[in-house]
Amino acid sequence: MRANLRERPVPAPITARKMSDKATRPSSETSLGEVSLGQREKNKIDKLHRIKEAARELFLSKGFDDATTRAIASRAGVGIGTVFIYADNKRDLLFLVANDELEETTDKAEASIRDDASCLQSLLTVFRHHYEFFGRQPKLSRLMLREMTFYDSGRQADRFRATRERVIRLVSSIMQRALDRRSIQASEDAGFIGWVAFCIYQVELRRWLTTKDIDIDDGMAALQRALKLFMQGLMPTDGCLIVSERGRQPARRTARAR
């Protein structure tokens, strides 16, 4: 019996390396799952890219009104239901084309502001980034800005609007810094001042995009002129700002009210 005990082979100890290998070695199911998940994500990215490019091409070639969601889906090689995974309607598709690049443009604009720059220079720096973005494809930009006037509800429209609000906040922060440094003085708060500056930019951008030959230096010169007028003011006399209650026309009554 003792002999049997002595002769029984003792199993070799599991080394730390073997234990580590066993613990970290992925199973075939895990590997296949990771590969499958990665491929699904690649397919989604590829479909989204095709949809965006198809929408861009058809909006440019046919115009927003004549391009259809079904035609965009056909050009992208996907079902129309797949299109609606990414955009809620045709207007939403227009915003989908622009959103990623517009968000990146706003990131760059914010990062390019220098602390030692003047208020006007900071405004022009932010707006120039956006002029460059919209000036790359003027026809598509005109469509986007036209449709932006009246937003539909939609995920992409919400993103577009969020980026717009972000730019307004960025402009307002530039104005707040100028107020804090006493380089400008105003009775209004920075939020409203920033909003007015943004409105000037929007009007000038639209006017620039309608010109026959798009030249960014000409566009920025016109914007600078408008912003300087806004910041310098018109130095009105007291009588210039009087608003009279007289002369107001009463609201017309409807036929039913009569």
Side-chain angles (χ1 to χ4, degrees), residues 147-195:
E147 296 303 318
M148 187 182 73
T149 305
F150 301 102
Y151 293 101
D152 274 349
S153 59
R155 288 162 293 170
Q156 301 303 328
D158 288 344
R159 281 182 64 193
F160 195 93
R161 181 168 47 245
T163 303
R164 179 175 178 268
E165 293 300 320
R166 182 181 165 198
V167 175
I168 294 172
R169 289 195 300 272
L170 181 57
V171 173
S172 297
S173 71
I174 293 171
M175 292 304 187
Q176 184 63 64
R177 185 173 62 179
L179 287 169
D180 293 340
R181 293 177 175 179
R182 300 186 182 279
S183 56
I184 62 171
Q185 296 180 8
S187 58
E188 295 288 351
D189 62 85
F192 184 72
I193 299 170
W195 163 251

Side-chain angles (χ1 to χ4, degrees), residues 36-253:
S36 179
L37 179 61
Q39 190 59 48
R40 284 199 299 270
E41 289 302 316
K42 288 179 181 178
N43 290 339
K44 286 181 181 179
I45 293 171
D46 179 61
K47 285 180 182 179
L48 177 58
H49 175 74
R50 297 204 313 267
I51 290 169
K52 288 168 66 175
E53 288 306 306
R56 187 194 307 270
E57 291 169 5
L58 288 177
F59 285 144
L60 286 173
S61 62
K62 292 183 175 295
F64 177 79
D65 295 328
D66 292 333
T68 65
T69 307
R70 189 171 298 279
I72 291 170
S74 177
R75 174 71 66 91
V78 300
I80 193 167
T82 302
V83 172
F84 290 124
I85 292 175
Y86 302 100
D88 292 355
N89 49 49
K90 187 169 74 170
R91 180 175 285 148
D92 223 28
L93 275 171
L94 186 58
F95 295 132
L96 174 67
V97 171
N99 275 335
D100 287 341
E101 291 181 49
L102 186 57
E103 288 169 359
E104 290 175 5
T105 297
T106 304
D107 289 339
K108 292 177 182 177
E110 186 171 8
S112 64
I113 298 175
R114 299 197 325 269
D115 189 62
D116 60 343
S118 70
C119 180
L120 180 58
Q121 182 59 64
S122 296
L123 291 175
L124 292 173
T125 297
V126 169
F127 293 143
R128 187 180 185 94
H129 280 281
H130 291 82
Y131 264 61
E132 290 173 351
F133 166 76
F134 287 110
R136 282 196 287 269
Q137 290 188 314
K139 185 176 179 181
L140 188 64
S141 296
R142 286 193 289 267
L143 291 175
M144 285 189 293
L145 293 172
R146 186 192 75 175
E147 296 303 318
M148 187 182 73
T149 305
F150 301 102
Y151 293 101
D152 274 349
S153 59
R155 288 162 293 170
Q156 301 303 328
D158 288 344
R159 281 182 64 193
F160 195 93
R161 181 168 47 245
T163 303
R164 179 175 178 268
E165 293 300 320
R166 182 181 165 198
V167 175
I168 294 172
R169 289 195 300 272
L170 181 57
V171 173
S172 297
S173 71
I174 293 171
M175 292 304 187
Q176 184 63 64
R177 185 173 62 179
L179 287 169
D180 293 340
R181 293 177 175 179
R182 300 186 182 279
S183 56
I184 62 171
Q185 296 180 8
S187 58
E188 295 288 351
D189 62 85
F192 184 72
I193 299 170
W195 163 251
V196 175
F198 179 81
C199 289
I200 293 171
Y201 148 72
Q202 286 277 284
V203 172
E204 284 295 328
L205 175 65
R206 284 168 165 78
R207 188 170 72 88
W208 175 63
L209 287 171
T210 61
T211 57
K212 184 177 180 181
D213 297 317
I214 300 294
D215 185 285
I216 191 166
D217 290 331
D218 290 344
M220 291 305 300
L223 177 61
Q224 179 176 331
R225 181 184 177 191
L227 288 173
K228 283 183 70 174
L229 177 63
F230 160 63
M231 296 177 73
Q232 289 173 340
L234 301 176
M235 294 179 288
T237 63
D238 292 339
C240 182
L241 299 179
I242 293 176
V243 178
S244 174
E245 294 294 327
R246 294 177 300 175
R248 287 188 176 182
Q249 296 293 328
R252 292 184 178 181
R253 293 180 298 171

